[in-house]
Amino acid sequence: MVVGLALTACRKPAETELNLIPAPSRMETERGTFTLRADTAILTDEKSSDTGRLLAEMLQPATGYSLVVEERAEERDNSIALQLDGSLERLGPEGYVLEVSRRRVLIRALAPAGVFYGAQTLRQLFPPAIYADERQAGVSWTAPCVRIEDRPRFVWRGALIDVARHFMPRETILKFIDLLAVHKMNTLQLHLTDDQGWRIEIKRYPKLTEIGSMRRETRLGHEREARGFDGKPHGGFYTQEEIRQMVDYARRRHVNLVPEIEMPGHAQAAIASYPELGNTREKLEVSTRWGVHKNIFNLREETITFLQNVLAEVIELFPSEYIHIGGDEVPTDQWKASPYAQALMRKLGFKSEVELHGWFIGRMNDFLRSRGRRLVGWDEILEGGAPPGAVVMSWRGVKGAIAAARAGHDVVMAPTTHTYFDYYQSKDPSEPLAIGGFLPLETVFEFDPIPTELTPEEARRILGAQGQLWTEYIPTPEHLEYMAFPRLVALAEVTWTGKPGRDYADFLRRLRRHLERLQMLEVRFRPLDSE
Ligand code: TNX
């Protein structure tokens, strides 16, 4: 027994035993371990000091250590050094080199994001209990000696949370941001408006939240079962102050929050708040049902101005270069029936309503560009001719992605086949009610965001991929985590590690250990099938 222990202590750990997720691009293990102690110092340069403080904050709860963070101190043993290194151009702004030796840890990167990701890998090298939010007695905080060189395959490694169908409290979003960062994901799209709710305070138009943030009741069971309603009001919204806090929290963790304001469809909550935005005189309520709705914005100049004023406030709050305007699922029946829309169509020389959709998106694109931002829209924006510079989010398979990349648009892959985390994870009849579909973990893992049809030149247009958490049938934060994990872990590996040598069995082995980390983080993930 004693001999066995001594042997393990000297043996070099096999790379897979480190259970890093996402797997790094290159890693060499060495003998020995580094031990974190109460007097270990975090040494930073000026630009890494914020990450240094954040790392100290992250290590504090489980270890009970309040590690000192020193800026521009002499190198020394028993330290974790974080440094920018201009010679690491080859690793890009998010790559890093992490060296763990017996005496110290050194993380170097071209830019602060890389330092941050190096720190995330370091956390994973410690025992899973490092992620606990209270002091863990009797754990020795050792990390194996290793040299890692790492960089992501894609720049857009994202998730979407639909807070419109079911509002999620701010704490849920903050926890989710933490979890994205653990997995080296860097984008969170907040789907802030839809037929069933408006979730962001707009100072100029207070009724959007006074009226639009509450619905009378919610469908019971699946929409198609037509089982009636729960009779309970549902709602909520984020104040501008709360949005600022979320943006700030995300920024420190290198997560970009992308706001989505849906237009011209999925607009019923807004029209219920300001009926003059609609095409009919019908008195609408915030929708209580799921599915595609016919109530879309009208095309009057006053409405365009209203929506641009909304976007102006959104831009003030979100520093994101990318602003999502939806653009999906727009039944044009009401434009067909509207004398105003028909007159506009004739005036512009259009033959069909889909051109009006293109014109509308173009107006929003001009506005966003004039403010130095880029429009993102679902792949329907291609149908009316997506404006130059617009980013296309391809959800109905990959056809939109191929067409968009060929037309010179940047593309984010979000196909239902591989990234719809509102779909069932298994065929087990005890799975909680979901919208439909079937997306098991392995299918997510096997996803290649680059459609095989693209040339290498065209493939450069693929920014990355994003997992969607539409919440029609996801009413609570617990359920959100159940749908997101572990599928989001697989997507993290897809978007960070990418193609070479992707072996599902190896992923599963690492994932088993990784789930211990998620347990410590109190993530209510779906257990693996074999367990
Ligand atoms: C389609 S994806 C939608 C959403 C729904 C989702 C449900 C997209 C751009 N539109 O409004 O929530 O399906 O899976």
Side-chain angles (χ1 to χ4, degrees), residues 54-84:
L54 193 54
L55 177 61
E57 280 171 37
M58 286 171 168
L59 297 174
Q60 202 280 330
T63 61
Y65 304 158
S66 302
L67 304 181
V68 294
V69 182
E70 295 174 38
E71 207 177 300
R72 279 181 296 206
E74 286 282 302
E75 293 190 8
R76 61 176 192 262
D77 286 355
N78 188 26
S79 68
I80 300 171
L82 311 181
Q83 296 167 4
L84 293 194

Side-chain angles (χ1 to χ4, degrees), residues 232-302:
K232 286 185 247 159
H234 185 100
F237 69 93
Y238 308 117
T239 64
Q240 295 204 347
E241 186 46 37
E242 288 170 329
I243 296 269
R244 279 200 192 88
Q245 288 167 11
M246 290 194 275
V247 165
D248 209 50
Y249 191 89
R251 186 190 46 78
R252 268 194 100 193
R253 289 153 182 82
H254 297 274
V255 172
N256 185 35
L257 288 192
V258 177
E260 180 184 0
I261 305 294
E262 271 274 19
M263 57 186 86
H266 288 281
Q268 193 168 317
I271 300 170
S273 312
Y274 290 93
E276 61 271 30
L277 301 173
N279 293 281
T280 69
R281 279 164 200 276
E282 195 190 342
K283 173 103 188 68
L284 294 173
E285 61 170 7
V286 178
S287 178
T288 58
R289 325 170 42 152
W290 313 126
V292 178
H293 293 31
K294 291 203 165 143
N295 297 302
I296 67 175
F297 289 126
N298 68 41
L299 295 168
R300 291 176 186 276
E301 273 313 300
E302 295 83 341

Side-chain angles (χ1 to χ4, degrees), residues 514-530:
H514 186 69
L515 292 180
E516 292 174 36
R517 298 181 185 124
L518 294 188
Q519 215 140 23
M520 290 292 168
L521 289 161
E522 292 174 33
V523 178
R524 288 144 294 189
F525 56 83
R526 180 186 183 280
L528 296 178
D529 282 331
S530 52

Side-chain angles (χ1 to χ4, degrees), residues 471-489:
T471 56
E472 289 97 328
Y473 302 98
I474 305 181
T476 64
E478 292 76 17
H479 197 152
L480 188 78
E481 292 180 4
Y482 177 89
M483 300 305 273
F485 294 97
R487 290 185 290 193
L488 198 64
V489 183

Side-chain angles (χ1 to χ4, degrees), residues 16-19 21 126-129 507-518 528:
T16 54
E17 284 173 33
L18 301 184
N19 301 299
I21 285 198
F126 290 116
F507 172 72
L508 275 185
R509 257 192 313 275
R510 284 180 287 125
L511 181 58
R512 287 219 164 78
R513 201 62 206 281
H514 186 69
L515 292 180
E516 292 174 36
R517 298 181 185 124
L518 294 188
L528 296 178

Side-chain angles (χ1 to χ4, degrees), residues 270-399:
I271 300 170
S273 312
Y274 290 93
E276 61 271 30
L277 301 173
N279 293 281
T280 69
R281 279 164 200 276
E282 195 190 342
K283 173 103 188 68
L284 294 173
E285 61 170 7
V286 178
S287 178
T288 58
R289 325 170 42 152
W290 313 126
V292 178
H293 293 31
K294 291 203 165 143
N295 297 302
I296 67 175
F297 289 126
N298 68 41
L299 295 168
R300 291 176 186 276
E301 273 313 300
E302 295 83 341
T303 299
I304 304 271
T305 304
F306 181 103
L307 293 170
Q308 292 179 344
N309 288 339
V310 168
L311 289 177
E313 290 194 29
V314 168
I315 285 169
E316 277 298 306
L317 295 167
F318 290 89
S320 172
E321 178 188 358
Y322 303 101
I323 305 290
H324 205 303
I325 50 73
D328 60 309
E329 297 180 325
V330 186
T332 50
D333 312 49
Q334 292 187 348
W335 289 348
K336 283 200 177 87
S338 146
Y340 182 89
Q342 290 303 309
L344 180 66
M345 213 167 106
R346 278 192 301 277
K347 188 175 130 210
L348 295 168
F350 293 161
K351 289 187 198 62
S352 76
E353 286 72 20
V354 78
E355 289 175 88
L356 283 176
H357 183 253
W359 172 84
F360 174 89
I361 300 296
R363 294 289 303 270
M364 295 304 150
N365 192 59
D366 292 345
F367 177 78
L368 290 173
R369 282 181 83 142
S370 76
R371 307 277 170 127
R373 307 300 177 97
R374 291 178 70 188
L375 176 145
V376 188
W378 298 105
D379 57 47
E380 282 91 335
I381 68 170
L382 289 163
E383 289 162 16
V391 178
V392 173
M393 209 167 249
S394 183
W395 70 282
R396 298 171 301 175
V398 301
K399 280 207 301 290

